[in-house]
Amino acid sequence: PATTSSSTTPLRRHLVGGGAVSSDIYDEKLCFDQAGAPTPLTLHKGAVVLSVCVPPIANGGLAGFEALPTEDVVDLAEIGTHPAEAFFRPIFPSEGGKLTLEKDRFYILATKERVAVPLHLSAEMVPFSHHVGELRAHYAGFFDPGFGYGAAGEINGTVGVLEVRPHETINIYHGQPICLMEFFRNSHPPARPYGFVGSN
């Protein structure tokens, strides 16, 4: 995998200078819509803002999954043998588009944006802060070079997976900002981009 040098800084440090955002961020196609078209970037302190996907009931409405309490042992060597329904249940929004997340439950959701990480960059998904109000926005969010990008930009983004745990029962809606993505410049391109054999 690609590495970042000790002098590598988040892309946001290249973007923000004296309060002004450098235009070089707009040269990067980092976010796409569901049709694969590039979308304008929304920035917060120089990092890219990502929002949550809560699809309408008319489109099937599957918004994600809730982890179920269990004492079953998961053998990571037995890939594809564990019944998903023993560990997760699908969750759907109300007819009004509201998705209710219950206190201290663990959820798997997805970003509205499709994210691409070009080969000269790496990225990390981070919360706006470690505790944003009543929501812990993410637990593990490293994105390798080539995620949603491919070997030469042939992929127009891939949704980011969100690991969410609310501290209080809350309602969320489609397009609600939920986390930030910080980009880092790599010291060199990876030998095997994300998704290729042996890369992850």
Side-chain angles (χ1 to χ4, degrees), residues 70-76 82 87:
T70 181
E71 295 182 357
D72 290 348
V73 176
V74 177
D75 186 344
L76 299 180
H82 303 290
F87 301 95

PDB file of all heavy atoms in Angstrom, residues 70-76 82 87:
ATOM      1  N   THR A  70     -25.963 -10.597  20.346  1.00  0.00           N
ATOM      2  CA  THR A  70     -25.750 -12.029  20.139  1.00  0.00           C
ATOM      3  C   THR A  70     -24.536 -12.500  20.920  1.00  0.00           C
ATOM      4  O   THR A  70     -23.625 -11.701  21.195  1.00  0.00           O
ATOM      5  CB  THR A  70     -25.552 -12.355  18.642  1.00  0.00           C
ATOM      6  OG1 THR A  70     -25.369 -13.762  18.485  1.00  0.00           O
ATOM      7  CG2 THR A  70     -24.353 -11.615  18.077  1.00  0.00           C
ATOM      8  N   GLU A  71     -24.545 -13.763  21.281  1.00  0.00           N
ATOM      9  CA  GLU A  71     -23.375 -14.383  21.893  1.00  0.00           C
ATOM     10  C   GLU A  71     -22.724 -15.382  20.938  1.00  0.00           C
ATOM     11  O   GLU A  71     -21.803 -16.100  21.321  1.00  0.00           O
ATOM     12  CB  GLU A  71     -23.779 -15.084  23.201  1.00  0.00           C
ATOM     13  CG  GLU A  71     -24.260 -14.107  24.276  1.00  0.00           C
ATOM     14  CD  GLU A  71     -24.612 -14.796  25.583  1.00  0.00           C
ATOM     15  OE1 GLU A  71     -24.545 -16.045  25.630  1.00  0.00           O
ATOM     16  OE2 GLU A  71     -24.942 -14.096  26.543  1.00  0.00           O
ATOM     17  N   ASP A  72     -23.228 -15.425  19.705  1.00  0.00           N
ATOM     18  CA  ASP A  72     -22.650 -16.329  18.719  1.00  0.00           C
ATOM     19  C   ASP A  72     -21.222 -15.916  18.385  1.00  0.00           C
ATOM     20  O   ASP A  72     -20.897 -14.727  18.328  1.00  0.00           O
ATOM     21  CB  ASP A  72     -23.482 -16.330  17.437  1.00  0.00           C
ATOM     22  CG  ASP A  72     -24.831 -16.996  17.630  1.00  0.00           C
ATOM     23  OD1 ASP A  72     -25.015 -17.644  18.679  1.00  0.00           O
ATOM     24  OD2 ASP A  72     -25.698 -16.856  16.749  1.00  0.00           O
ATOM     25  N   VAL A  73     -20.391 -16.900  18.159  1.00  0.00           N
ATOM     26  CA  VAL A  73     -19.001 -16.653  17.797  1.00  0.00           C
ATOM     27  C   VAL A  73     -18.891 -16.533  16.277  1.00  0.00           C
ATOM     28  O   VAL A  73     -19.458 -17.344  15.540  1.00  0.00           O
ATOM     29  CB  VAL A  73     -18.094 -17.792  18.290  1.00  0.00           C
ATOM     30  CG1 VAL A  73     -16.652 -17.581  17.813  1.00  0.00           C
ATOM     31  CG2 VAL A  73     -18.144 -17.878  19.810  1.00  0.00           C
ATOM     32  N   VAL A  74     -18.177 -15.514  15.820  1.00  0.00           N
ATOM     33  CA  VAL A  74     -17.947 -15.311  14.390  1.00  0.00           C
ATOM     34  C   VAL A  74     -16.543 -15.800  14.049  1.00  0.00           C
ATOM     35  O   VAL A  74     -15.543 -15.270  14.546  1.00  0.00           O
ATOM     36  CB  VAL A  74     -18.101 -13.829  13.998  1.00  0.00           C
ATOM     37  CG1 VAL A  74     -17.774 -13.638  12.520  1.00  0.00           C
ATOM     38  CG2 VAL A  74     -19.506 -13.343  14.298  1.00  0.00           C
ATOM     39  N   ASP A  75     -16.478 -16.836  13.229  1.00  0.00           N
ATOM     40  CA  ASP A  75     -15.194 -17.358  12.777  1.00  0.00           C
ATOM     41  C   ASP A  75     -14.824 -16.635  11.487  1.00  0.00           C
ATOM     42  O   ASP A  75     -15.412 -16.868  10.426  1.00  0.00           O
ATOM     43  CB  ASP A  75     -15.302 -18.869  12.531  1.00  0.00           C
ATOM     44  CG  ASP A  75     -13.959 -19.503  12.196  1.00  0.00           C
ATOM     45  OD1 ASP A  75     -13.012 -18.759  11.860  1.00  0.00           O
ATOM     46  OD2 ASP A  75     -13.861 -20.744  12.257  1.00  0.00           O
ATOM     47  N   LEU A  76     -13.846 -15.747  11.566  1.00  0.00           N
ATOM     48  CA  LEU A  76     -13.472 -14.922  10.417  1.00  0.00           C
ATOM     49  C   LEU A  76     -12.849 -15.736   9.290  1.00  0.00           C
ATOM     50  O   LEU A  76     -12.725 -15.251   8.166  1.00  0.00           O
ATOM     51  CB  LEU A  76     -12.513 -13.818  10.858  1.00  0.00           C
ATOM     52  CG  LEU A  76     -13.070 -12.832  11.896  1.00  0.00           C
ATOM     53  CD1 LEU A  76     -12.025 -11.780  12.245  1.00  0.00           C
ATOM     54  CD2 LEU A  76     -14.346 -12.166  11.387  1.00  0.00           C
ATOM     55  N   HIS A  82     -21.809 -17.474   7.654  1.00  0.00           N
ATOM     56  CA  HIS A  82     -22.634 -17.012   8.766  1.00  0.00           C
ATOM     57  C   HIS A  82     -23.906 -16.357   8.241  1.00  0.00           C
ATOM     58  O   HIS A  82     -23.841 -15.484   7.361  1.00  0.00           O
ATOM     59  CB  HIS A  82     -21.856 -16.020   9.618  1.00  0.00           C
ATOM     60  CG  HIS A  82     -20.570 -16.564  10.165  1.00  0.00           C
ATOM     61  ND1 HIS A  82     -20.519 -17.529  11.133  1.00  0.00           N
ATOM     62  CD2 HIS A  82     -19.285 -16.286   9.849  1.00  0.00           C
ATOM     63  CE1 HIS A  82     -19.266 -17.819  11.408  1.00  0.00           C
ATOM     64  NE2 HIS A  82     -18.492 -17.086  10.633  1.00  0.00           N
ATOM     65  N   PHE A  87     -27.147 -11.613  12.835  1.00  0.00           N
ATOM     66  CA  PHE A  87     -26.325 -10.536  13.374  1.00  0.00           C
ATOM     67  C   PHE A  87     -26.851  -9.136  13.051  1.00  0.00           C
ATOM     68  O   PHE A  87     -26.520  -8.186  13.752  1.00  0.00           O
ATOM     69  CB  PHE A  87     -24.897 -10.678  12.848  1.00  0.00           C
ATOM     70  CG  PHE A  87     -24.261 -11.986  13.204  1.00  0.00           C
ATOM     71  CD1 PHE A  87     -24.289 -13.055  12.312  1.00  0.00           C
ATOM     72  CD2 PHE A  87     -23.650 -12.171  14.433  1.00  0.00           C
ATOM     73  CE1 PHE A  87     -23.709 -14.271  12.637  1.00  0.00           C
ATOM     74  CE2 PHE A  87     -23.066 -13.391  14.763  1.00  0.00           C
ATOM     75  CZ  PHE A  87     -23.101 -14.447  13.868  1.00  0.00           C
TER      76      PHE A  87
END
